[in-house]
C-alpha cells in the first residue's frame, strides 16, 4: 500500500506545501520506500511509496511526457499490460509501474477511466490544461480513501489515504465512496461501478450455480494478484477462505516455478505479445498468463493466535497439506492489550468487531515485514458474498439473504477491507483480496441466493466449498483436506483464541466504570457505546481524533439477531460457543 495526500484549489499552494508534506508524512508507514510531491497550478500531490511493481522506476507522482498530467496512486492495476496493448493512441511509457497506464486511459476515456481498471486503487489525477482534478476509488473500497473540506479554506478539496492526514486541516471529512469518481468540473461524486446486482438490490438473481465457473474465476483472481517484483506470502488462518486462497496460490506458484525452470533450460519464453520481456513488465496478459517474480523457493504462509488457538492448529494442518513454508506466531493477551491504542490510531475506527480482529492482524503484519515480505494474499470478502457469518442462519427468505449480502459487500470499506488494509499497511505490507475481484463478484453475486442459504443439509458457504470439492474428480489433486474444506466458520477474533475476547472484556470492566457508562460524552450525540468494551475503544479513538472524524466510522452488528456482541460464538448455532472451548 502507498499513502496519498492531495489538495486541490488551495489559495496559496506553495505556502501550503510544508503542511502538505507534513500530512503526507503522517502516512509514511504505508509507503516507507520513497516520498514524492508535485505542484501544478493550485494543486499539490504528495505520495509515500511502497514499491511492489516497477520497483526501480515507478516513483510517484507519475507525470505525462509533457508534464501536463500528474498522478498519485495507491493500489495495483492487475490488467495494466492488457490496457497498454489496447490503447488507441501510442503512449510513451516512462516506467514499468502498473499505475502509469491510468494517464493514457484518462487521455482517451476521461471520466470513464476507472471503468476499465481491474484492481484495487484510490488515485488523484491533475490535468494542467484544464486545471482539473479527478479522483477515484476502486469498486469495493479495498484501499482506504477519504475526502475532506475546510471551513477556513472554502473551495479547497483534500484527499488522503487515511484520516490522520486530513483532520489537522479539515473539519468536514467523509469516507470517499467506493465505485465513485470525483470531478472538480462539477465538484461532485458520481457512481461508475454500477452492476445490476448492486444498483438493483430488489432484483433477485435466478441463475443456478456453476461450480466449475466459480472455481476457475477464483483461480484467475488469485493468479492476477501474484503480480509482484518482490517476495510475497499468504495469510493463513486455517478457515475456509484463507485456506482456499493459500491452496490456489501454492498451485500457481509451483506452476510458475516450473515454467521458469523450463525457460532457464532454453524453452521458448522471452518476449510477450505486447513486445515486453516477461520479466520486465509483470502482470496478467490477455490470455490469462502471468509474468511475476520468476522463482520463489517456497511460498510463505503466516498465522497468529494465542497458544493453542483453533485457527493456528488448523492453519498448521493446511500448510503441511499444501507444502508451504509456514510461520506460526503467538501473542499473549497482554501483547494485544498493549497494542490497542496503536491499533486504533492506525485503524481510525472504534468499531468493536474491527478492533478485536485487527489487533492480531496488526501484530502479525509486523512479524511479516520483519521477514522481508511486502505483499500478502488474504481471504476477506467471502463471508459477505456467500452469507458466511453465522447469523445468516436466521435469514427469513432468499430475497432478505441476497439483500443482506449486498449490504455487507457495500459496507466492506468500513469493516473488513478497512481492517485488512490498515492493519497491514501500518507496517508497510500490502494485503490483496482475491474474493473481491470484479469478475468473481459478478459471477458469485448473480447466483440464485437460494443456493447460498444455510439449511440442515447445507453448511454456510456450501457452494464455495462444493466448488473446490474434488472427490468426484479422480484426476484432480485435492485443494484442501476434507475436514478443513467443511470446517465451520470462526470469526477471526474468535479463531485466534477465545481467551482474546474475554481478555478485552475483562480489561474494559476495569477501565470503564458503571458511572462512566451512565454519562457518555455529549459530543458523541446519539452514537452511544452499548458496552464497556465499546466505550473504552471510543475513548481511545477520541485521544487520537477530533469528534468530527467519528462520522467515518460504522459499527458492525449482526442482522436477524438480538445479540449486540458481534462475536461468532455469541450466535447460538456455533458448535463451540461459550463454555465449551476456552
Amino acid at each position: 500500500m502507498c499513502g496519498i495526500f492531495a489538495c486541490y484549489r488551495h489559495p496559496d499552494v506553495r505556502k501550503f506545501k510544508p503542511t502538505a508534506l507534513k500530512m503526507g508524512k503522517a502516512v509514511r508507514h504505508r509507503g516507507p520506500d520513497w516520498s514524492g510531491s508535485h505542484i501544478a497550478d493550485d494543486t499539490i500531490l504528495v505520495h509515500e511509496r511502497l514499491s511492489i511493481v516497477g520497483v526501480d522506476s515507478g516513483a510517484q507522482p507519475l507525470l505525462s511526457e509533457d508534464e501536463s498530467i500528474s498522478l498519485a496512486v495507491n493500489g495495483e492495476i492487475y490488467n495494466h499490460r492488457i490496457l497498454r496493448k489496447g490503447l488507441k493512441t501510442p503512449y510513451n511509457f516512462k516506467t514499468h509501474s502498473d499505475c502509469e497506464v491510468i494517464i493514457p486511459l484518462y487521455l482517451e476515456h476521461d471520466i470513464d477511466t476507472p471503468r476499465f481498471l481491474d484492481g484495487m486503487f484510490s488515485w488523484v489525477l491533475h490535468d494542467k490544461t484544464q486545471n482539473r482534478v479527478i479522483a477515484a476509488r476502486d469498486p469495493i473500497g479495498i484501499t482506504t480513501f477519504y475526502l475532506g473540506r475546510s471551513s477556513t479554506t472554502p473551495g479547497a478539496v483534500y484527499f488522503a489515504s487515511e484520516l490522520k492526514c486530513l483532520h489537522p486541516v479539515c473539519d468536514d471529512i467523509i469516507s470517499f465512496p467506493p465505485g465513485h469518481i470525483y470531478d472538480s468540473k462539477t465538484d461532485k461524486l458520481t457512481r461508475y461501478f454500477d452492476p445490476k446486482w448492486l444498483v438493483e438490490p430488489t432484483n433477485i438473481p435466478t441463475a443456478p450455480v456453476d461450480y466449475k465457473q466459480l472455481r476457475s474465476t477464483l483461480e484467475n483472481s488469485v493468479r492476477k494478484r501474484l503480480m509482484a517484483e518482490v517476495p510475497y506470502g499468504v495469510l493463513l488462518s486455517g478457515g475456509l477462505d484463507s485456506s482456499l486462497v493459500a491452496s490456489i496460490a501454492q498451485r500457481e506458484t509451483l506452476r510458475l516455478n516450473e515454467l521458469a525452470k523450463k525457460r532457464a533450460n532454453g524453452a521458448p519464453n522471452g518476449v510477450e505479445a505486447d513486445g515486453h520481456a516477461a520479466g520486465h513488465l509483470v502482470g496478467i496478459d490477455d490470455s490469462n498468463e502471468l509474468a511475476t517474480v520468476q522463482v520463489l523457493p517456497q511460498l510463505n504462509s503466516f498465522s497468529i493466535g494465542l497458544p493453542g488457538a483453533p485457527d493456528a492448529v488448523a492453519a498448521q494442518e493446511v500448510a503441511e497439506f499444501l507444502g508451504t513454508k509456514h510461520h506460526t506466531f503467538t501473542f499473549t493477551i497482554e501483547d494485544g492489550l498493549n497494542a490497542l491504542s496503536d491499533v486504533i490510531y492506525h485503524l481510525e475506527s472504534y468499531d468493536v468487531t474491527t478492533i478485536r480482529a485487527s489487533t492480531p492482524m496488526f501484530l502479525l503484519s509486523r512479524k511479516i515485514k520483519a521477514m522481508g515480505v511486502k505483499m500478502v494474499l488474504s481471504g476477506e470478502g467471502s463471508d459477505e458474498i456467500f452469507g458466511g457469518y453465522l447469523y445468516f442462519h436466521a435469514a427469513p427468505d432468499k430475497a432478505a439473504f441476497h439483500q443482506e449480502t449486498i449490504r455487507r459487500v457495500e459496507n466492506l470499506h468500513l469493516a473488513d477491507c478497512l481492517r485488512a488494509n490498515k492493519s497491514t499497511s501500518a507496517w508497510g505490507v500490502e494485503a490483496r483480496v482475491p474474493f473481491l475481484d470484479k469478475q468473481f463478484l459478478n459471477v458469485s453475486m448473480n447466483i440464485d441466493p437460494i443456493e447460498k442459504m444455510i439449511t440442515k443439509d447445507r453448511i454456510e458457504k456450501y457452494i464455495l466449498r462444493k466448488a473446490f470439492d474434488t472427490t468426484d474428480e479422480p484426476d484432480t489433486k485435492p485443494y484442501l483436506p476434507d475436514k478443513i474444506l467443511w470446517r465451520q466458520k470462526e470469526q477471526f477474533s474468535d479463531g485466534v483464541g477465545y481467551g482474546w475476547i474475554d481478555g478485552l472484556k475483562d480489561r474494559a470492566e476495569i477501565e470503564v466504570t458503571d458511572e462512566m457508562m451512565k454519562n457518555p460524552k455529549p459530543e458523541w450525540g446519539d452514537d452511544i457505546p452499548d458496552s464497556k468494551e465499546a466505550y473504552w475503544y471510543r475513548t481511545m479513538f477520541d485521544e487520537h481524533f477530533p469528534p468530527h472524524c467519528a462520522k467515518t466510522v460504522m459499527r458492525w452488528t449482526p442482522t436477524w439477531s438480538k445479540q449486540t456482541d458481534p462475536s461468532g460464538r455469541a450466535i447460538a448455532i456455533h458448535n463451540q460457543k461459550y463454555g465449551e472451548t476456552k
Side-chain angles (χ1 to χ4, degrees):
M1 285 302 146
C2 299
I4 297 172
F5 174 81
C7 175
Y8 166 68
R9 200 165 278 170
H10 194 281
D12 191 344
V13 72
R14 294 192 180 277
K15 188 176 179 183
F16 180 67
K17 183 179 179 180
T19 301
L21 293 175
K22 184 181 177 185
M23 298 302 98
K25 188 178 177 182
V27 285
R28 190 160 293 165
H29 52 274
R30 298 179 66 91
D33 295 338
W34 197 250
S35 303
S37 65
H38 180 74
I39 291 177
D41 299 327
D42 51 4
T43 296
I44 183 166
L45 303 179
V46 178
H47 189 266
E48 302 292 334
R49 186 178 187 221
L50 179 70
S51 50
I52 292 179
V53 174
V55 171
D56 59 352
S57 64
Q60 296 193 36
L62 296 161
L63 301 177
S64 60
E65 197 160 30
D66 64 1
E67 299 194 355
S68 65
I69 308 288
S70 50
L71 173 72
V73 189
N74 169 27
E76 307 291 344
I77 310 302
Y78 304 122
N79 64 335
H80 74 112
R81 289 175 65 199
I82 300 167
L83 293 171
R84 285 180 181 226
K85 280 175 64 179
L87 292 171
K88 296 184 184 71
T89 305
Y91 183 81
N92 184 24
F93 285 92
K94 295 180 176 180
T95 76
H96 290 136
S97 168
D98 54 294
C99 298
E100 190 179 3
V101 76
I102 293 170
I103 295 175
L105 274 182
Y106 165 73
L107 293 172
E108 290 190 5
H109 299 287
D110 199 76
I111 202 79
D112 286 329
T113 296
R115 291 181 181 272
F116 295 87
L117 303 176
D118 181 8
M120 56 177 189
F121 54 83
S122 43
W123 48 263
V124 182
L125 177 149
H126 180 261
D127 181 344
K128 198 170 185 178
T129 58
Q130 302 182 61
N131 191 18
R132 180 191 190 191
V133 160
I134 302 283
R137 190 178 186 187
D138 68 67
I140 303 301
I142 299 164
T143 61
T144 56
F145 202 35
Y146 296 87
L147 184 155
R149 299 179 191 266
S150 170
S151 57
T152 59
T153 320
V157 187
Y158 303 80
F159 305 91
S161 297
E162 296 190 3
L163 268 177
K164 56 184 65 67
C165 294
L166 293 182
H167 75 76
V169 291
C170 299
D171 47 24
D172 179 16
I173 305 169
I174 63 166
S175 178
F176 193 109
H180 282 68
I181 187 161
Y182 169 86
D183 185 358
S184 64
K185 272 188 177 179
T186 59
D187 195 33
K188 284 189 170 62
L189 288 154
T190 308
R191 174 178 286 283
Y192 71 83
F193 182 63
D194 50 7
K196 191 172 182 180
W197 63 262
L198 181 63
V199 297
E200 296 181 24
T202 56
N203 189 311
I204 310 303
T206 56
V209 62
D210 181 332
Y211 291 110
K212 291 283 168 63
Q213 183 189 32
L214 200 59
R215 183 199 298 180
S216 64
T217 311
L218 186 60
E219 287 180 315
N220 286 341
S221 174
V222 172
R223 181 177 299 135
K224 289 178 207 174
R225 283 156 182 79
L226 299 182
M227 174 183 86
E229 294 179 17
V230 295
Y232 56 79
V234 290
L235 300 184
L236 181 56
S237 73
L240 174 70
D241 308 327
S242 67
S243 297
L244 279 179
V245 169
S247 175
I248 298 167
Q250 172 71 334
R251 288 161 105 97
E252 188 64 17
T253 299
L254 293 174
R255 187 182 75 83
L256 289 169
N257 285 355
E258 194 59 37
L259 280 175
K261 284 177 192 170
K262 285 179 182 174
R263 288 170 181 158
N265 292 330
N269 71 355
V271 179
E272 302 295 323
D274 56 3
H276 290 278
H280 290 174
L281 198 66
V282 301
I284 206 84
D285 67 14
D286 45 14
S287 62
N288 251 337
E289 195 46 78
L290 176 72
T292 187
V293 173
Q294 286 305 295
V295 178
L296 282 176
Q298 208 173 1
L299 181 66
N300 285 282
S301 57
F302 305 94
S303 68
I304 192 166
L306 300 177
D311 274 0
V313 174
Q316 184 65 47
E317 187 174 341
V318 173
E320 287 172 7
F321 179 85
L322 298 178
T324 62
K325 186 175 182 181
H326 191 60
H327 311 272
T328 302
F329 298 109
T330 58
F331 74 104
T332 66
I333 292 171
E334 194 62 28
D335 289 334
L337 293 172
N338 291 344
L340 276 177
S341 181
D342 285 346
V343 168
I344 290 169
Y345 171 74
H346 282 285
L347 281 185
E348 303 174 324
S349 176
Y350 48 85
D351 171 57
V352 169
T353 305
T354 305
I355 292 165
R356 286 176 175 179
S358 292
T359 305
M361 199 170 190
F362 174 86
L363 295 171
L364 177 59
S365 298
R366 189 174 191 180
K367 298 276 192 182
I368 290 170
K369 184 56 182 281
M371 296 183 66
V373 171
K374 279 178 149 183
M375 184 273 280
V376 290
L377 301 185
S378 193
E380 278 74 22
S382 172
D383 290 312
E384 287 74 12
I385 294 166
F386 295 102
Y389 294 112
L390 298 181
Y391 76 80
F392 273 90
H393 281 261
D397 54 54
K398 74 174 191 175
F401 189 104
H402 180 64
Q403 285 159 8
E404 178 66 3
T405 61
I406 294 170
R407 187 179 78 85
R408 282 293 179 210
V409 169
E410 277 194 295
N411 286 327
L412 270 166
H413 70 291
L414 300 171
D416 283 24
C417 284
L418 180 148
R419 166 176 57 79
N421 182 277
K422 290 181 176 175
S423 298
T424 53
S425 63
W427 301 106
V429 175
E430 176 175 281
R432 298 183 183 174
V433 284
F435 282 104
L436 297 177
D437 178 80
K438 268 202 303 190
Q439 283 78 15
F440 186 75
L441 277 166
N442 192 48
V443 168
S444 53
M445 294 302 288
N446 281 305
I447 295 170
D448 188 332
I450 197 74
E451 306 266 22
K452 299 180 182 179
M453 291 187 73
I454 303 157
T455 68
K456 60 182 174 62
D457 301 315
R458 284 194 169 201
I459 191 172
E460 66 277 352
K461 294 185 284 196
Y462 172 85
I463 61 174
L464 179 62
R465 300 171 195 271
K466 185 69 176 167
F468 286 88
D469 188 335
T470 60
T471 49
D472 58 351
E473 300 173 44
D475 296 331
T476 305
K477 185 182 174 185
Y479 284 80
L480 292 171
D482 265 10
K483 63 186 285 191
I484 299 294
L485 190 61
W486 297 98
R487 179 187 178 214
Q488 189 178 44
K489 166 73 182 168
E490 293 275 9
Q491 318 288 83
F492 181 57
S493 50
D494 287 329
V496 297
Y498 295 137
W500 168 234
I501 290 176
D502 295 334
L504 288 168
K505 290 179 175 179
D506 291 347
R507 179 61 67 89
E509 283 290 335
I510 296 168
E511 299 289 339
V512 180
T513 65
D514 293 342
E515 189 63 28
M516 291 163 72
M517 285 295 291
K518 290 175 191 170
N519 295 285
K521 294 183 182 180
E523 58 266 32
W524 292 350
D526 296 331
D527 188 16
I528 307 299
D530 56 7
S531 69
K532 289 188 175 181
E533 187 184 1
Y535 192 110
W536 184 34
Y537 299 156
R538 182 61 200 268
T539 58
M540 281 192 269
F541 177 88
D542 290 352
E543 289 172 9
H544 298 300
F545 305 103
H548 63 264
C549 290
K551 71 176 182 180
T552 65
V553 178
M554 183 195 75
R555 288 203 274 166
W556 198 104
T557 54
T559 307
W560 312 305
S561 170
K562 293 177 183 176
Q563 292 283 352
T564 57
D565 190 322
S567 165
R569 68 189 168 134
I571 307 294
I573 196 74
H574 195 265
N575 292 337
Q576 300 186 51
K577 55 188 182 292
Y578 296 105
E580 295 175 22
T581 304
K582 288 276 182 178

